[in-house]
Amino acid sequence: MSIYAVTYLYADDTALKDRHRPEHREFLGALHAEGTLLASGPYSDEDGGALLILQGEGTAAEVLSVLDPDPFRREGVVLERSIRPWNVVIGGFGTA
């Protein structure tokens, strides 16, 4: 199983984020419970956005597709997202 780092870039609309955050977190919580989402959270600097760590079989595009129904994406909170394979060497997600 491969691990991927996904970066979200958010719209600069606090009210929009606040309105959809509970549903967004419920969605991510379900992915975490099934083992697809290993960790996630917003960046704490002024650039905002978020980092999500996922694991899955298949291509990066196939793994990213599990985030397609994210309420933040559906409602326009997520302006851009990118995915990169991540080779964890040390830490809780590593295989060594």
Side-chain angles (χ1 to χ4, degrees), residues 15 54 57 73:
L54 295 116
E57 299 292 339
R73 183 170 188 263

Side-chain angles (χ1 to χ4, degrees), residues 9-89:
L9 175 65
Y10 290 149
D12 190 21
D13 186 337
T14 302
L16 182 66
K17 285 184 267 190
D18 290 347
R19 186 167 46 255
H20 299 289
R21 185 174 290 114
E23 188 181 3
H24 163 71
R25 288 194 174 162
E26 183 178 330
F27 170 79
L28 294 179
L31 289 179
H32 184 263
E34 72 183 29
T36 301
L37 179 67
L38 300 177
S40 71
Y43 291 114
S44 58
D45 60 13
E46 63 279 353
D47 292 335
L51 176 66
L52 300 88
I53 306 298
L54 295 116
Q55 67 178 353
E57 299 292 339
T59 67
E62 290 168 336
V63 172
L64 186 62
S65 72
V66 303
L67 295 173
D68 287 349
D70 186 341
F72 266 18
R73 183 170 188 263
R74 181 190 69 222
E75 299 299 332
V77 174
V78 175
L79 297 178
E80 295 177 27
R81 60 187 190 166
S82 62
I83 186 168
R84 295 178 66 185
W86 190 34
N87 183 26
V88 181
V89 177

